[in-house]
Structures are given as structure tokens and as C-alpha cells.
Amino acid sequence: MRSKGIRFLSTLALSASALTLISCGGGDGDSARVEQTVDASKNGVTSIAIASNAGIVHIKGDYQFNVIGKNAESKEFNLNSKATWKLSDASFGSIKDGLFKAAGKTGQVSLIVNYAGMTTEQTISLTDANLKKVTVKHSSGATSVDECQNTTFTAEAEFEGGITLPYPLTWKITEGSGIASFKDKNTGTLSTTNSGAIKIVASGVNNDNQEISSDALGFTVNDELTAITVTNSKTTEWRDGDTATVTIKGIYDDANNPIDITANATLSATPASLLKIEGTKITAQNGTANGSTVALKGACGGIEGTQELVIKERQLRSIEIRNNNGGATSNLSVSEGSNLNLDVTATYADGSTKDDYTSNVFWEVDDRNNTIPDDRESRISISSTGELRVNSDLDLGSSAIIYVVAEVRDSEGNVIENSSGAEVTDDINITINPN
């Protein structure tokens, strides 16, 4: 079926490389113009021109135009992001930093570029020529890549009349999909995760909505990875809430030149509860006062690498003993033959708090006023969870005051200190009433 877009092909040669340079044109007259003028003065730019191109864009495609500035010594500067781009008729598409995206309309439109009072323009012809053939190849002609690395393929879309233009294509693997993938099916960047043989194709849809596919291209992913290293942007000792970015590198034949394979590797932690993993970002969580060890693991191509991290809780400022039945911190009492349940509220250095704090909390009963006869002290005890027990046979005869102490200790049994050097401990007096 002949496309009606062929009628445009006879006029395309007229527009190819149609450049007009005006050295002292108008300008936008806004802040962009001022910035451009300063930039032009800095680099000595005296002229601009759109880089040579065919001047043809398919109505389904896009094209990256480039505007080049030159100084008196003919030194060139790419001005794509600094120049002001516009189209004579916005209904034909959009343009930003030289990237033209067609809007599906045939015809011709002028591309106009302004920079520091200089203007250059070119005519773009939009064609709907019908897609006839797709050919794929490796961007550098390579026939293989080492596992866990990325590599890039390109494709040529050929249309009626023999012209080749950028065109939206879809990439896929027809054999070996378990060892490689196109993470973005619209680009030719291949990501590999293991070794083996693969075949790839690129395809596009023509004007009759038929899929036009390339011949399958064979490619090899080499089994060359020997080791993996895992590092993060922080130290190996963390506190809850700390975050970092992980980098995974692969070591191949040249151990002195590890390659970043983060994008293709998988990341995990054991135990998983100590690290929250979001892509390459990790966040410490569920740490303890003494620190808990977690293995941060990167894996690809059947090879693993590990970095051990120590996760501690956030730095404590203080603790406070409370009655866990009502939260009271004073005027607490217990009768002989009864129990009193206590817990601890922790305050961290950042001012946040945590109720029922239990990490490395040690409890003691302190009869500092000697109100309990020595032979009866064993009848008062406190559990590791803060439950104070008073035996019914204490037989005091009158009320007595004791103290309960809670301390947060390190792995060596020492009471830890806050950032000010004060011990993280608290005590509370409790009245024991006779039966």
C-alpha cells in the first residue's frame, strides 16, 4: 500500500541543510537573553548555526537538533541548553533544548533558534512515509558483553523511498530472556544479569498497523564475573533512621578496575528487619542499644558480595520509669502479696520518644533507706520486664518506701551515657503497704 506521505518526499531535498544565519538578529528581550549575552561574551561566541541534518522528521518520531556557536578562533560550543528554541507553528510538535517531538502532522515548519541576539533557522519537513524495514546492530559492533554489565544496540528504520529516520521502536529478547532484559522497551540499552546466548529484535508499527520486525540478532553474554564488592555512602556503624546509597561493583579479569553493576544486581539484607531497602537506598531500622549486625548482600551472575553493618538504635537522651497501667511516675504503691507492672519511656537525642522501651534495660530494687529487714529483702523482686513482686509473707507491719532503678547497659554491662556524658538511668520510689 503506497502511503500518501510519499508526496512530501519530492520537497525534502529542498529543505535539507537549509540554514539561515543572522549575526545580529532580534532576541527575546528577557532574562534568558541577558544570560545568553553574558555567556556569549564569556566564550567569545560570534556566530551560531544549526548543525547539518537531513531536515526530515517522521510524524511519529523525534529528532535531536544541535545549535553550535563559534568564536573568532572557530572553537565550537554546543548551545542546546542555553539557546531559545521555538517553532513557527506549534501544532507540528514541541521543541526543548533542541529535541523536536513531532505531533503527528505532515507538512513543513520553521525551527527558529535565538542566542544572545543571534538567530538561525531551518525548515523541517514532516513525513508520514510508511515503515518498510528495521535493522538492528550493536552500537560499537561488539558481539558480546560481560555479564552484569549494560550494552547498547541501535536500529535503523527504513521507509518508502529509501530514507532512514528516527522512529519509535520496541526492543525485546526472543531467546535468553532469563539472563538479560531491556528495562525500557523503547530504548536499545540491554541489561544483563547472567551469562549465555541471547537473540534480540526491534520492531515498529507501520501505517497499516502492521508490526515490522528486524531479523533476530545473536549476542553473547560472557561468564567473566569473579567477585562482587558492596559499599555504601556512610560508615559501617549506623543508628536507626540513617540512610545511605549502596554501590555494587563487579570484579572481572582486571581486579584493579572494578565496574559499577549496581543497576543490574539485586540487594538484600539478613536479617531483613534491620534494613529497609528501596532500590539502592537503605535505611537502618530496629537497631538495639548494643548494636545488631546485618549482612548487606549484593548479587548478580551467581556471585555474591557482602558488607556487614552494625545497626544501633537512635542515641538516647534519657529514660523514665512509669506505671504501665496508667503511666504515672509518682505516688506509686503496692501491697504485700501484690505485683506492680512498670515500664520505661525512652527519649532520644532528637526529642522523639518511645513507650515501653525494653532494649538492654536492667531493673533493680534498691532499699537505700534500709526500710526492709535484711532477712526479708529476697521477698521483694523485680523481673527483667519490670514486674515488681512483693510476697505476702513480707510482714512489715507498717508502710515502707523502696526504690526501683532502671538502667540501659552496653554489651559489657556498663551503663551507657548520652551525648552530654550523663548515664541513661532512672529511679522511682514506691510505697509498700502492709496487708
Side-chain angles (χ1 to χ4, degrees):
M1 177 177 179
R2 177 171 292 274
S3 167
K4 64 180 180 180
I6 296 302
R7 66 179 181 273
F8 289 103
L9 298 180
S10 61
T11 66
L12 296 179
L14 297 177
S15 62
S17 302
L19 307 180
T20 302
L21 176 63
I22 304 175
S23 296
C24 297
D28 297 325
D30 56 8
S31 61
R33 168 71 178 273
V34 174
E35 292 177 4
Q36 293 166 3
T37 301
V38 172
D39 185 71
S41 177
K42 175 184 176 181
N43 296 311
V45 176
T46 58
S47 66
I48 64 171
I50 299 174
S52 179
N53 61 85
I56 312 169
V57 179
H58 199 279
I59 64 171
K60 294 181 181 179
D62 53 40
Y63 187 83
Q64 178 65 57
F65 291 92
N66 297 292
V67 62
I68 306 300
K70 287 186 179 182
N71 62 15
E73 290 76 36
S74 295
K75 181 179 179 180
E76 295 185 347
F77 302 87
N78 186 297
L79 304 175
N80 287 0
S81 62
K82 298 177 179 179
T84 301
W85 300 76
K86 66 180 180 180
L87 301 172
S88 60
D89 185 343
S91 67
F92 283 92
S94 63
I95 184 83
K96 181 178 181 181
D97 295 341
L99 179 60
F100 172 77
K101 295 183 178 182
K105 179 180 177 181
T106 59
Q108 291 188 331
V109 64
S110 292
L111 171 61
I112 305 162
V113 186
N114 293 302
Y115 172 79
M118 294 173 277
T119 302
T120 183
E121 63 180 271
Q122 171 184 344
T123 299
I124 304 174
S125 294
L126 283 302
T127 178
D128 62 354
N130 206 16
L131 179 65
K132 289 299 182 182
K133 182 180 180 181
V134 177
T135 304
V136 299
K137 62 181 180 180
H138 191 271
S139 59
S140 68
T143 59
S144 67
V145 68
D146 291 341
E147 62 187 329
C148 300
Q149 296 184 32
N150 290 351
T151 194
T152 303
F153 296 86
T154 60
E156 288 187 349
E158 185 177 326
F159 299 84
E160 289 179 337
I163 59 173
T164 300
L165 300 171
Y167 193 76
L169 299 173
T170 300
W171 294 82
K172 61 183 178 181
I173 296 176
T174 57
E175 292 184 20
S177 59
I179 64 176
S181 65
F182 291 101
K183 293 183 178 180
D184 181 352
K185 67 180 182 179
N186 298 315
T187 65
T189 300
L190 179 75
S191 301
T192 69
T193 56
N194 219 318
S195 59
I198 64 173
K199 289 185 178 180
I200 65 171
V201 299
S203 62
V205 177
N206 68 9
N207 295 346
D208 300 317
N209 207 32
Q210 297 172 330
E211 184 176 14
I212 307 298
S213 295
S214 69
D215 292 335
L217 176 66
F219 197 74
T220 302
V221 184
N222 303 316
D223 184 11
E224 297 291 339
L225 184 64
T226 60
I228 283 177
T229 62
V230 181
T231 58
N232 70 83
S233 57
K234 191 177 164 54
T235 63
T236 57
E237 185 170 299
W238 292 40
R239 291 192 180 273
D240 284 347
D242 287 349
T243 63
T245 301
V246 178
T247 299
I248 302 172
K249 290 187 177 182
I251 298 174
Y252 298 84
D253 289 339
D254 183 3
N256 295 320
N257 186 33
I259 295 174
D260 192 333
I261 60 171
T262 307
N264 295 344
T266 59
L267 196 61
S268 62
T270 305
S273 61
L274 294 178
L275 283 178
K276 180 180 181 181
I277 300 176
E278 301 170 289
T280 60
K281 177 185 176 182
I282 55 175
T283 303
Q285 59 186 12
N286 302 318
T288 59
N290 293 332
S292 298
T293 300
V294 58
L296 178 63
K297 181 187 297 182
C300 190
I303 305 293
E304 295 180 349
T306 301
Q307 182 184 41
E308 286 195 347
L309 308 176
V310 175
I311 311 298
K312 293 185 175 182
E313 64 182 358
R314 287 170 292 170
Q315 189 170 30
L316 289 172
R317 178 192 297 170
S318 62
I319 59 172
E320 185 176 35
I321 300 172
R322 296 175 178 269
N323 176 359
N324 73 357
N325 293 323
T329 60
S330 62
N331 301 318
L332 298 183
S333 63
V334 61
S335 298
E336 294 178 6
S338 301
N339 299 341
L340 180 63
N341 293 309
L342 304 172
D343 61 22
V344 164
T345 294
T347 299
Y348 296 100
D350 62 3
S352 61
T353 61
K354 181 179 181 180
D355 294 332
D356 195 18
Y357 178 83
T358 59
S359 181
N360 294 291
V361 175
F362 290 81
W363 297 87
E364 291 179 336
V365 174
D366 183 353
D367 183 25
R368 65 187 64 169
N369 295 329
N370 295 315
T371 59
I372 309 298
D374 292 346
D375 61 347
R376 301 181 192 177
E377 286 183 350
S378 62
R379 300 174 189 178
I380 303 173
S381 62
I382 191 164
S383 71
S384 61
T385 60
E387 182 184 20
L388 179 67
R389 304 184 184 100
V390 180
N391 291 2
S392 58
D393 59 353
L394 184 59
D395 294 332
L396 289 178
S398 62
S399 297
I401 293 177
I402 62 169
Y403 291 82
V404 169
V405 180
E407 301 172 337
V408 180
R409 301 179 186 175
D410 62 21
S411 58
E412 297 179 353
N414 301 313
V415 180
I416 68 171
E417 297 181 348
N418 61 22
S419 59
S420 300
E423 291 185 338
V424 181
T425 181
D426 188 34
D427 59 30
I428 190 170
N429 62 295
I430 298 173
T431 301
I432 299 177
N433 297 313
N435 287 326

